[in-house]
Amino acid sequence: MHARRTFLAFAAAAPFALAAPRLARAADTVKLGFAPWADAEFITRLAAKLAEQKLDLKVELVQTDVAPLYQGLARGDVDAMLMCWLPKTHADYWQRVEGKVERLGVLYNGAKLGWVVPSYVPEAELASIADLAKPDVREKLSGRIQGIEPGAGLTRLSRQAITDYGLDYTLQESSEAAMLSMVERSIRRKQWIVATAWSPHWMFGKHALRYIADPKGSLGGAEEVIALGRPGLKQQQPRLAAFLSRLNMPLAELEAAMLVAQEKDNDAAVAAYIDEHASRVNGWFAG
């Protein structure tokens, strides 16, 4: 899900290249960046709403690909991003910006990448990635694994998994939206499908899906999702940095909120979360 292309590959397209110099921005205006994935969008919109309500800040949201997002953060063109996956998914990006950006807090634990199948696919026939090599399994799947963006970290790891397991499969690289559309169409038709996926995601609340095992560990293990700030954020925006350092929620709460966002909209999901979890929200601003 999370892009791995080099910064140079995205530099020309980076929206931050057109941003006004930081000194020209009002002191009470901040930019929060996110890539177009459901978990990142929800938690970023939640943070933006709370920063406006509790800290009296004006917040501008910037959506872009992951590579220019890291680049913009290191340059100070965006104030914070709430989607750094470590230790594996964003390892390449972290190596480029470590020491140049400010590490804030852990947003949620237990995030993971993997491949999923609908629950009606018999586990006796398909329990792990290794089972995809079985001729009858490959035939039912038409030799395809449904993927997401070509530059995503999950796509890079999925390509590696195909090599590690010696699979004769094509990874269909597309987008999150296309992947979800294919999963939903296959479920309606009760067809077999394997798709690249990650947690947290609202699709696990909407569909009965299960991860297949990855005995070689090609797709990595549990991850932490971390908030990062631009250089100098803690000194220049101490209240915002303190809030983002405390912002943390259980994975189950995040997935439930993401499902509300999918079925209604992000504004409704953010408002409902703030209302239903007032004690947790207030704790993010304690002290």
Side-chain angles (χ1 to χ4, degrees), residues 93-163:
Y93 292 136
W94 179 245
Q95 288 173 4
R96 289 178 170 89
V97 303
E98 187 174 9
K100 302 176 184 177
V101 301
E102 297 183 351
R103 182 167 174 157
L104 301 175
V106 176
L107 300 164
Y108 40 94
N109 297 286
K112 67 175 292 184
L113 307 179
W115 293 356
V116 298
V117 297
S119 60
Y120 55 75
V121 174
E123 197 164 357
E125 296 181 55
L126 179 49
S128 79
I129 295 177
D131 291 330
L132 295 173
K134 297 175 181 176
D136 57 331
V137 171
R138 186 185 183 283
E139 182 178 357
K140 290 177 180 177
L141 293 166
S142 300
R144 288 196 301 269
I145 297 163
Q146 181 61 47
I148 55 169
E149 289 85 354
L154 176 54
T155 301
R156 169 179 59 88
L157 294 172
S158 294
R159 294 189 196 112
Q160 186 60 50
I162 289 173
T163 299

Side-chain angles (χ1 to χ4, degrees), residues 4 9 54-55 89 112 114-115 123 153 160 172 250 252 255 283:
R4 180 186 181 262
K54 303 279 191 178
L55 303 179
T89 307
K112 67 175 292 184
W115 293 356
E123 197 164 357
Q160 186 60 50
Q172 296 290 118
E255 288 192 327

Side-chain angles (χ1 to χ4, degrees), residues 214-227:
D214 175 19
K216 294 182 183 292
S218 299
L219 300 174
E223 301 253 301
E224 289 184 332
V225 179
I226 298 164

Side-chain angles (χ1 to χ4, degrees), residues 37 116 146-149 154 172 174-186 193-198 201 203 209:
W37 291 293
V116 298
Q146 181 61 47
I148 55 169
E149 289 85 354
L154 176 54
Q172 296 290 118
S174 53
S175 66
E176 178 187 7
M179 177 272 289
L180 291 167
S181 177
M182 289 298 296
V183 167
E184 291 180 350
R185 186 172 75 174
S186 297
I193 186 173
V194 172
T196 64
W198 60 94
H201 200 289
M203 64 180 171
L209 300 166

